[in-house]
Amino acid sequence: MRVPLSWLREYVDLPAGETGRDVAAKLVDAGLEVETVEQLGGGLKGPLVVGQVLTIEELEGFRKPIRFCTVDVGQANGTGDPQEIVCGARNFAVGDKVVVVLPGAVLPGDFAIAARKTYGRTSHGMICSGDELGMGDDGTHGIIVLPPEHEVGTDAIELLQLVDEVLDIDITPDRGYCMSMRGVAREAATAYGLPLRDPALLDVPQPNSYGYPVKVDDPAGCDRFTARTVTGLDPDARSPIWLTRRLQKAGMRPISLAVDITNYVMLELGQPLHAYDRASVEGTIGVRRAEQGEKFTTLDGVKRTLDAEDLVITDNSGPIGLAGVMGGANTEIADSVTDPETGQVTGTTDVVIEAAHFDSVSISRTARRLKLSSEASKRFERGVDPQAAAAAAQRTVDLLVLLAGGTAEAGVTEVIAPGAPRTIAMPADHPDRVAGMEYGRETVVRRLQEIGCDVYGQDELVVTVPSWRPDLAAPNDLAEEVIRLEGYGNLPSTLPQVPSGRGLTARQQLHRRVGRALAGAGYVEALSYPFIGEGVFDQLQLPAHDVARQVVKLVNPISDEEPALRTTLLPGLLGALRRNDSRGSHDLALFETGSVFRAAARPGVAVRLPVDRRPTDEEIATLNAALPAQPRYAAVVLAGAREQAGWWGKGRPADWADAVQAARALAVEAGAELVVRQGQYGPWHPGRCAELVVTLGGVEQVIGHAGELHPRVVKAMGLPARTSAMEIDLDRLAAAGGEALQAPRISSFPVATQDVALIVDASVPASSVEAALRKGAGELLESLRLFDVFTGEQVGEGKKSLAYALRFRAADRTLTAEESTAARDAAVALAGERTGAVLRGA
């Protein structure tokens, strides 16, 4: 809702020095969302005056029509001589009054005006259009042609109200009454503690039996319908400048006098109206539901197919309007037409004015189904004051009589469905309990009365809600009104007391530790959408029977290209890596933790939960059973340099070992024993792929993979060469860990180091040798590290040498050489038994 400050002052006597920003701050404190304060005419400097065109000379020889004009600007140019101006517009003629900007002036956008030579003539100023003055679209896209009554030389800045401030307010759905000057003025009056001049307080004649006939067949959809008739309108009457300028400032385009008046009253009072050409209306006006499939052409010239839920306005010929949304083309107000021979102007002279109140839900559904959002439907959706219909109709009649020379017929039609004011019972101290501070009964009553409520009672208040506030339906709504008017900024800041034992769960703690560990290792978290397209599985080279291809498809996907929920984190992470690499960031290490979705063998059907009560435990369990499994995964991707080159060294590129090390770091955080061994799966290079294995329930389970991606995957997905990745099931990793992480015990006794080099078949995984060494070394083994792998003639064909550093330490004594050697020998013996390892050099 755009609110011109000059218009707002008509209803509230704001302090003289109050600026738009001051008013905006007050309204924000009252709970409205003022997005911007627009300064109209900022930087505008005169002279800008009314002129009259004296002569027009058509200039020839140019690509577009050019006219050389002389314009009388009175004494505004200091000489009284006609002003010579070159102009390309063609919507004005000799004798027309126009707006002229003279040399020395500055137009919006810091456009300085000076005499300049153009098209072979010297132009001393400009004849202005609305766009050049920042007035907005007037429908002509041409020169402003003023009514003839304005005197030559008059200051056009004041005449056209070019300097103003406009507040752009974002109206939330519960504040429909603020989609009008009346509603915003009420909030401003309350915020400043000033009286309101309510524009709806008009003398309205009582309904009678000789008004225009109206029949409402659906009182639930239309509980109030007011009809008034005005005859004898001057078809040549134009909207005055003050009316068109207020419409333009509010963001609406002037069309014709009758339509402009209905739009103006809608902006003023918040009540949408419609004016029908009486000559086109056949018989009684009715309100009913549309017939299924009924056809109707709206004002925009589109033929629409209606639904049985749509409310329509009808006459004897059928629909003439889509209730609360848009009128029909068959009863549109006719534009004035001038007969070129006689000069007689013809057009609509008699109108029937409709001011009705429609069901907000019905209007909302119709507007959305037809994709036909209008200024009227926006207001009806949010709630319109039903009591304002008669006043809005009267205001429209008054303006038509005043500006178009019409005559108001004495007949007044008003069809009203029975209804009673809404009342709410509320303890007087209820706002105190909601806000956590004491307001007192007097403050509560005063604030509720300021918003238009009638309040009775002492400790237990009975509040009658005003007709323009359909959003007030419960005690908490009333408490919110008291709190916002007293100021949200005055509420005390109190930190909630956290009950003991309700901190993060073990699962949540693990996820945080995982994130911190990866961030500490140099990875950057990248969050991706949980949607994928099934074509990505081909890019990842997953086999046809792979479980990852069993996706959960969405009924209403955001994108048709990604209609399924992800079963792996890699596509999103690799997409982020590809985008960053394409934008010049080549050294990348990204990670993500999040849920993946596994389709059940037999998909369940979710039940529709009730909204009028809390679902039962059985209903919640049924709903949960229908959901797909959602294990939490962690994944990393790497490309480019892992360590940067510099004076400290050459650096090194990221490789498969970094991806494996990331998995080991997560295992440490989970307190799980992770076995890393050679594997082969989908997107990974078969020679540089590691299986990540844990033992659950005595059974080894593969819970992820790490390594370098296959070159074909890298090419298919447009990734940097030698991209590496790791993905692991965090939930199963946590299940393999202990209940809680155990802090390492620090021994004060020295360490004993023993190095061994074992020769094994080239096909034997280093992880198998390592596992045997750990088992054989016993409790004295503190750590085990593979520091060299060697192949060559010295160890034999088909063989490799694995060199390990074994660290032994006891918690209660210094180990002897014999003890550490015995532990080493036991480790070597078990490795030889399990893997065929032979001590090198033996």
Side-chain angles (χ1 to χ4, degrees):
M1 177 70 186
R2 290 173 55 85
V3 179
L5 191 59
S6 59
W7 194 356
L8 185 63
R9 290 182 182 276
E10 188 171 307
Y11 312 116
V12 185
D13 291 325
L14 298 173
E18 207 75 350
T19 66
R21 295 191 179 279
D22 297 331
V23 176
K26 285 283 190 180
L27 294 178
V28 168
D29 288 342
L32 293 182
E33 298 181 13
V34 181
E35 293 191 334
T36 60
V37 178
E38 184 180 350
Q39 304 288 332
L40 299 184
L44 178 63
K45 175 185 172 184
L48 186 73
V49 298
V50 176
Q52 185 171 23
V53 180
L54 300 178
T55 64
I56 298 177
E57 178 187 351
E58 301 288 346
L59 302 182
E60 304 293 339
F62 300 103
R63 292 185 177 181
K64 62 179 181 178
I66 297 297
R67 310 166 99 186
F68 181 70
C69 311
T70 58
V71 185
D72 180 10
V73 294
Q75 296 299 317
N77 58 4
T79 64
D81 296 334
Q83 201 78 3
E84 297 179 339
I85 298 174
V86 176
C87 183
R90 310 193 64 78
N91 66 313
F92 64 97
V94 172
D96 282 345
K97 298 287 181 66
V98 294
V99 178
V100 179
V101 57
L102 301 177
V106 179
L107 294 184
D110 199 26
F111 180 33
I113 302 299
R116 65 188 182 97
K117 190 168 184 179
T118 179
Y119 297 103
R121 303 293 179 95
T122 300
S123 181
H124 299 273
M126 287 173 51
I127 302 176
C128 297
S129 67
D131 288 337
E132 290 165 337
L133 298 179
M135 294 172 58
D137 181 18
D138 61 358
T140 66
H141 299 288
I143 293 303
I144 301 171
V145 178
L146 299 171
E149 63 267 19
H150 297 292
E151 294 185 6
V152 169
T154 302
D155 182 6
I157 295 179
E158 182 177 353
L159 175 67
L160 298 177
Q161 304 171 23
L162 296 179
V163 179
D164 202 349
E165 293 181 276
V166 178
L167 282 64
D168 192 350
I169 305 176
D170 184 13
I171 306 299
T172 53
D174 61 331
R175 297 290 182 86
Y177 67 98
C178 284
M179 293 195 75
S180 66
M181 293 301 303
R182 180 195 185 201
V184 176
R186 186 181 300 280
E187 291 296 315
T190 303
Y192 280 93
L194 297 172
L196 169 72
R197 288 187 290 275
D198 191 346
L201 295 180
L202 301 174
D203 291 331
V204 179
Q206 294 297 314
N208 49 54
S209 59
Y210 43 94
Y212 199 94
V214 173
K215 180 182 179 182
V216 177
D217 293 331
D218 192 332
C222 176
D223 58 6
R224 184 180 294 263
F225 195 107
T226 299
R228 300 289 298 274
T229 304
V230 180
T231 60
L233 301 179
D234 179 4
D236 195 32
R238 298 173 56 186
S239 298
I241 291 175
W242 66 266
L243 177 59
T244 59
R245 288 299 293 134
R246 285 189 172 180
L247 290 177
Q248 287 175 324
K249 291 177 185 179
M252 301 190 76
R253 179 171 63 87
I255 298 174
S256 64
L257 179 57
V259 176
D260 291 349
I261 288 174
T262 58
N263 287 336
Y264 177 84
V265 175
M266 177 184 68
L267 292 172
E268 184 179 51
L269 301 181
Q271 169 66 55
L273 301 109
H274 191 72
Y276 300 96
D277 187 337
R278 184 175 180 178
S280 302
V281 179
E282 301 177 12
T284 301
I285 292 178
V287 182
R288 62 169 172 82
R289 297 286 174 175
E291 298 175 3
Q292 186 66 39
E294 191 171 11
K295 306 293 184 181
F296 172 63
T297 302
T298 47
L299 278 173
D300 55 2
V302 177
K303 189 172 185 179
R304 304 182 185 275
T305 302
L306 304 182
D307 188 85
E309 288 189 355
D310 297 334
L311 272 174
V312 291
I313 312 298
T314 65
D315 65 1
N316 293 345
S317 65
I320 59 173
L322 198 55
V325 181
M326 186 175 286
N330 51 350
T331 56
E332 182 180 7
I333 300 295
D335 294 331
S336 60
V337 178
T338 303
D339 189 315
E341 296 182 359
T342 64
Q344 183 179 0
V345 180
T346 59
T348 297
T349 57
D350 302 336
V351 297
V352 178
I353 300 163
E354 164 213 312
H357 184 263
F358 302 109
D359 174 57
S360 60
V361 174
S362 176
I363 301 305
S364 177
R365 287 176 177 171
T366 297
R368 280 162 173 73
R369 187 180 60 79
L370 296 176
K371 296 180 175 60
L372 190 61
S373 180
S374 64
E375 292 294 330
S377 68
K378 291 176 185 177
R379 286 164 172 78
F380 279 120
E381 288 172 3
R382 290 165 172 79
V384 169
D385 181 7
Q387 302 290 341
Q394 182 62 45
R395 177 72 164 142
T396 305
V397 169
D398 293 343
L399 289 174
L400 285 172
V401 171
L402 175 67
L403 302 177
T407 300
E409 289 194 352
V412 178
T413 302
E414 195 162 16
V415 179
I416 304 175
R422 289 177 295 113
T423 60
I424 302 172
M426 180 187 74
D429 63 347
H430 182 67
D432 300 0
R433 297 200 303 271
V434 172
M437 63 182 296
E438 184 176 348
Y439 293 120
R441 180 188 178 280
E442 291 185 2
T443 299
V444 171
V445 172
R446 174 171 57 83
R447 288 302 191 183
L448 293 179
Q449 288 175 339
E450 285 177 350
I451 65 172
C453 296
D454 292 330
V455 186
Y456 304 95
Q458 292 297 319
D459 295 338
E460 189 75 18
L461 302 180
V462 178
V463 182
T464 302
V465 176
S467 57
W468 59 84
R469 293 300 301 272
D471 59 301
L472 302 181
N476 282 342
D477 298 329
L478 300 178
E480 181 185 359
E481 292 299 299
V482 174
I483 294 168
R484 77 174 179 89
L485 293 177
E486 284 294 305
Y488 291 122
N490 297 324
L491 292 176
S493 298
T494 305
L495 292 176
Q497 298 296 321
V498 180
S500 60
R502 297 189 183 180
L504 297 177
T505 65
R507 188 170 187 256
Q508 292 170 330
Q509 290 175 347
L510 173 61
H511 297 161
R512 291 199 177 185
R513 292 200 306 271
V514 164
R516 286 195 292 266
L518 292 175
Y523 291 86
V524 176
E525 186 170 18
L527 301 178
S528 56
Y529 287 110
F531 312 116
I532 58 172
E534 294 183 78
V536 76
F537 299 130
D538 295 329
Q539 293 179 326
L540 293 176
Q541 295 193 13
L542 297 183
H545 61 277
D546 195 284
V547 67
R549 288 183 176 269
Q550 299 173 14
V551 297
V552 177
K553 292 190 176 181
L554 301 171
V555 175
N556 55 341
I558 294 178
S559 168
D560 292 336
E561 296 179 357
E562 296 181 330
L565 293 173
R566 67 187 178 193
T567 55
T568 169
L569 301 180
L570 291 181
L573 267 182
L574 293 173
L577 184 139
R578 180 178 61 249
R579 284 191 298 273
N580 281 273
D581 180 72
S582 68
R583 294 169 185 172
S585 297
H586 303 303
D587 302 327
L588 298 162
L590 309 178
F591 84 93
E592 181 176 9
T593 62
S595 297
V596 299
F597 304 85
R598 300 295 190 192
R602 293 185 177 180
V605 178
V607 297
R608 187 180 295 275
L609 296 181
V611 296
D612 58 342
R613 59 174 174 81
R614 182 189 182 279
T616 65
D617 293 340
E618 292 77 11
E619 289 171 329
I620 295 176
T622 303
L623 178 63
N624 289 335
L627 297 176
Q630 301 176 42
R632 194 170 185 92
Y633 274 38
V636 304
V637 293
L638 305 100
R642 184 65 174 137
E643 295 178 4
Q644 295 291 335
W647 59 265
W648 52 85
K650 297 181 179 179
R652 69 173 182 85
D655 60 17
W656 62 268
D658 294 302
V660 172
Q661 184 56 35
R664 288 196 172 104
L666 300 192
V668 171
E669 296 299 330
E673 183 176 343
L674 185 70
V675 176
V676 179
R677 64 191 184 200
Q678 186 175 0
Q680 184 172 343
Y681 176 69
W684 281 277
H685 191 296
R688 302 187 184 106
C689 174
E691 284 183 346
L692 308 176
V693 181
V694 296
T695 301
L696 286 171
V699 179
E700 286 190 347
Q701 295 187 20
V702 178
I703 63 170
H705 293 84
E708 183 181 314
L709 296 182
H710 198 289
R712 285 199 291 267
V713 174
V714 169
K715 181 178 180 180
M717 302 191 75
L719 303 173
R722 310 299 291 270
T723 297
S724 298
M726 181 277 295
E727 184 172 37
I728 193 169
D729 187 334
L730 272 185
D731 288 345
R732 287 198 286 171
L733 182 66
E739 291 295 327
L741 287 177
Q742 297 296 322
R745 177 171 294 179
I746 306 300
S747 174
S748 59
F749 296 96
V751 65
T753 303
Q754 296 276 359
D755 293 345
V756 295
L758 303 177
I759 298 176
V760 296
D761 291 339
S763 60
V764 175
S767 59
S768 299
V769 178
E770 180 179 331
L773 289 173
R774 287 185 182 279
K775 183 70 174 177
E779 296 180 355
L780 294 179
L781 181 66
E782 182 179 78
S783 67
L784 174 66
R785 180 173 62 90
L786 174 66
F787 65 86
D788 184 55
V789 178
F790 176 77
T791 58
E793 296 180 359
Q794 294 89 334
V795 296
E797 186 177 354
K799 302 288 185 178
K800 62 183 176 182
S801 172
L802 305 176
Y804 291 92
L806 289 75
R807 292 167 58 93
F808 299 98
R809 194 192 314 252
D812 56 350
R813 68 189 188 280
T814 300
L815 293 176
T816 64
E818 290 77 11
E819 287 177 308
S820 60
T821 301
R824 182 203 64 183
D825 292 344
V828 170
L830 187 59
E833 179 183 333
R834 290 187 175 182
T835 66
V838 176
L839 192 63
R840 187 175 176 182

